[in-house]
Amino acid sequence: MLLALAVESKERVAVQGKRKLILVSVQTSCDHDFVEYFRQVPNQDILYTFRVVKTAPSFTITIIMRNVKSQRIMYKIKNLDGCEFLKNQLMNKVLSRTYRALLVNNTFFKCPIEPKVYFLKNLTEAMIVPSIHPAGYYQLSMRVQMSQSSAPFVMEILWKYKIVFFK
């Protein structure tokens, strides 16, 4: 059974050229079976932690960006082989930049993912938005799935953000 524990961060604003990116929230959730918890570390703005309780021999990653108002999917990567990505991050340059932004002390993950407590940083800054991104209100989800789990995902990060253009 999937129980979502949502952890929301404070709204952040970044100005890039003639546009403003407003990060409304970052939510994390997990299945509480393979991953016991996935949350922000208390009293830390950029540090998140999760505890893997069962060995993960393989996993896939699904990333979906959608317009919140219309629910139109703007971008989708479905079932990217996570272990292959960890072996060769250059197979996807955008994800590689995001992955490196999340690492704590340059500690790289490798398969199988062993049971223990892990840390990630900068969930609020890891989201890379291309310069051609249209204005609007969006949701970007990154799900980690495992064939050994009956849940729709074992971990998820959900970013909600707005892009505003100004003169």
Side-chain angles (χ1 to χ4, degrees):
M1 179 173 170
L2 185 71
L3 300 171
L5 170 67
V7 179
E8 293 199 26
S9 70
K10 300 172 188 169
E11 187 172 284
R12 294 187 184 207
V13 177
V15 176
Q16 300 172 331
K18 292 186 176 190
R19 70 182 182 153
K20 187 187 303 185
L21 179 129
I22 304 163
L23 185 60
V24 177
S25 67
V26 177
Q27 298 174 340
T28 60
S29 39
C30 63
D31 70 345
H32 302 284
D33 184 24
F34 278 87
V35 178
E36 181 180 8
Y37 58 80
F38 183 23
R39 61 182 178 236
Q40 191 169 10
V41 174
N43 301 318
Q44 295 288 321
D45 285 339
I46 65 168
L47 203 57
Y48 287 75
T49 185
F50 63 96
R51 181 170 182 246
V52 176
V53 292
K54 296 179 183 177
T55 300
S58 64
F59 64 97
T60 60
I61 302 168
T62 296
I63 299 170
I64 300 173
M65 178 194 311
R66 71 178 69 230
N67 181 295
V68 171
K69 186 176 178 180
S70 68
Q71 291 299 305
R72 179 176 173 228
I73 294 176
M74 309 293 288
Y75 179 79
K76 186 176 193 176
I77 296 177
K78 191 164 172 101
N79 298 325
L80 175 73
D81 185 317
C83 291
E84 284 301 314
F85 174 75
L86 292 177
K87 286 181 196 172
N88 178 14
Q89 290 98 44
L90 295 179
M91 68 190 276
N92 188 311
K93 288 184 181 183
V94 172
L95 289 181
S96 176
R97 286 179 52 199
T98 301
Y99 175 61
R100 291 177 187 277
L102 294 173
L103 294 177
V104 175
N105 298 328
N106 288 326
T107 304
F108 290 90
F109 294 89
K110 62 181 181 175
C111 285
I113 307 293
E114 297 295 333
K116 71 177 197 178
V117 174
Y118 294 91
F119 291 91
L120 298 173
K121 67 178 181 181
N122 292 331
L123 289 188
T124 57
E125 296 170 17
M127 190 179 67
I128 297 170
V129 179
S131 60
I132 60 169
H133 196 302
Y137 184 33
Y138 296 91
Q139 172 180 301
L140 178 67
S141 66
M142 191 274 318
R143 286 184 166 185
V144 175
Q145 298 138 320
M146 292 179 51
S147 60
Q148 298 86 351
S149 173
S150 60
F153 59 86
V154 294
M155 291 176 65
E156 179 181 52
I157 304 169
L158 181 67
W159 291 273
K160 290 187 178 177
Y161 65 98
K162 297 176 185 174
I163 301 286
V164 179
F165 289 98
F166 56 90
K167 295 180 182 184

